[in-house]
């Protein structure tokens, strides 16, 4: 049986349009926030990521886990791959990664392995964050690279509200669907009875 494609809850948040004249942390995080809204509209967890080098954006991405059926398709992983392709080097030296939520264990490891100069995240994650939330891979004693970190504070409230609203609306939609009556199964057609003897009066 083909499962219906889920419809994402409508996103009530508008995109941001920061001034191009001031390319500070708030500017780049605003672009990451816009990527998170794109994720919401595709029924993905609304997390967005941007990578900047010398004041220019070299990668933009958002979660595509559901659409790609890929548990590694996090915004940070996709952006890191894009950035490496853009500069032709896996070492993302002098690059800053902006992401709307603290990276998970996988993505935190990738930020270190890609030699990013700096990571700036909006919302700390005390459960799964690994750049200061639940733990900090950047503090490993024998790690051969250190990140500059900006943990929280840049559009933190806006990005947190976006995440909270998404999951609240998803839960509400799930509860509403569960409360609906189950569809009535189609009645099976009654098989025809056995054929009777031919009627000689029909001239057959």
């Amino acid at each position: 049986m083909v499962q219906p494609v889920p419809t994402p809850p409508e996103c009530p948040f508008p995109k941001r349009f920061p001034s191009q004249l001031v390319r500070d942390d708030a500017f780049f995080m605003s672009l990451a926030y816009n990527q998170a809204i794109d994720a919401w509209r595709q029924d993905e967890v609304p997390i967005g990521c941007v990578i900047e080098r010398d004041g220019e954006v070299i990668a933009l991405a958002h979660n595509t886990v559901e659409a790609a059926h890929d548990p590694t398709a996090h915004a940070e992983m996709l952006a890191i791959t894009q950035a490496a392709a853009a500069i032709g080097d896996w070492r993302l030296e002098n690059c800053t990664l902006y992401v709307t939520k603290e990276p998970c264990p996988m993505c935190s490891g990738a930020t270190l392995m890609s030699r990013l100069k700096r990571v700036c995240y909006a919302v700390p994650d005390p459960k799964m964050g690994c750049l200061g939330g639940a733990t900090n891979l950047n503090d490993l004693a024998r790690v051969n690279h250190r990140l500059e970190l900006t943990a929280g504070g840049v559009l933190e409230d806006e990005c947190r509200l976006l995440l909270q609203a998404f999951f609240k609306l998803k839960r509400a939609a799930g509860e509403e669907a569960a409360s609906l009556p189950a569809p009535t199964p189609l009645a099976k057609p009654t098989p025809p009875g056995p054929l009777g003897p031919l009627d000689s009066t029909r001239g057959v």
Side-chain angles (χ1 to χ4, degrees):
M1 178 179 176
V2 177
Q3 295 293 326
V5 177
T7 302
E10 183 176 353
C11 181
F13 301 96
K15 287 191 173 183
R16 299 174 64 88
F17 296 94
S19 170
Q20 296 279 342
L21 300 177
V22 182
R23 297 200 166 197
D24 55 6
D25 285 350
F27 171 84
F28 292 109
M29 190 64 78
S30 292
L31 302 184
Y33 178 88
N34 290 346
Q35 286 291 307
I37 289 179
D38 286 341
W40 178 317
R41 292 172 177 172
Q42 296 174 29
D43 207 24
E44 301 279 354
V45 174
I47 297 174
C49 182
V50 166
I51 296 179
E52 166 271 336
R53 186 189 194 200
D54 297 330
E56 298 295 330
V57 173
I58 61 171
L60 300 111
H62 60 73
N63 278 12
T64 61
V65 171
E66 301 297 336
H69 307 293
D70 181 356
T72 72
H74 288 197
E76 302 97 315
M77 302 293 286
L78 299 174
I80 286 170
T81 299
Q82 285 181 28
I87 67 172
D89 193 342
W90 64 267
R91 300 171 185 84
L92 302 183
E93 298 170 347
N94 300 317
C95 295
T96 297
L97 180 147
Y98 295 86
V99 64
T100 55
K101 188 186 75 65
E102 182 180 354
C104 70
M106 172 180 69
C107 297
S108 297
T111 64
L112 287 163
M113 296 302 294
S114 59
R115 305 293 194 271
L116 281 158
K117 177 183 179 181
R118 177 171 171 248
V119 171
C120 175
Y121 61 80
V123 181
D125 182 355
K127 293 183 178 179
M128 289 292 289
C130 285
L131 289 178
T135 190
N136 194 343
L137 298 185
N138 202 41
D139 287 342
L140 291 175
R142 301 181 67 181
V143 70
N144 62 357
H145 178 70
R146 301 284 179 187
L147 299 163
E148 297 175 22
L149 283 177
T150 301
V154 181
L155 267 64
E156 180 176 344
D157 292 341
E158 293 87 344
C159 293
R160 177 182 288 108
L161 183 59
L162 185 71
L163 281 163
Q164 290 174 340
F166 177 79
F167 287 113
K168 181 179 180 180
L169 290 173
K170 288 284 283 185
R171 283 192 297 269
E175 291 168 0
E176 181 180 358
S179 67
L180 294 175
T184 304
L186 295 175
K188 293 183 179 179
T190 305
L195 294 175
L198 294 177
D199 187 346
S200 59
T201 62
R202 295 179 183 174
V204 179

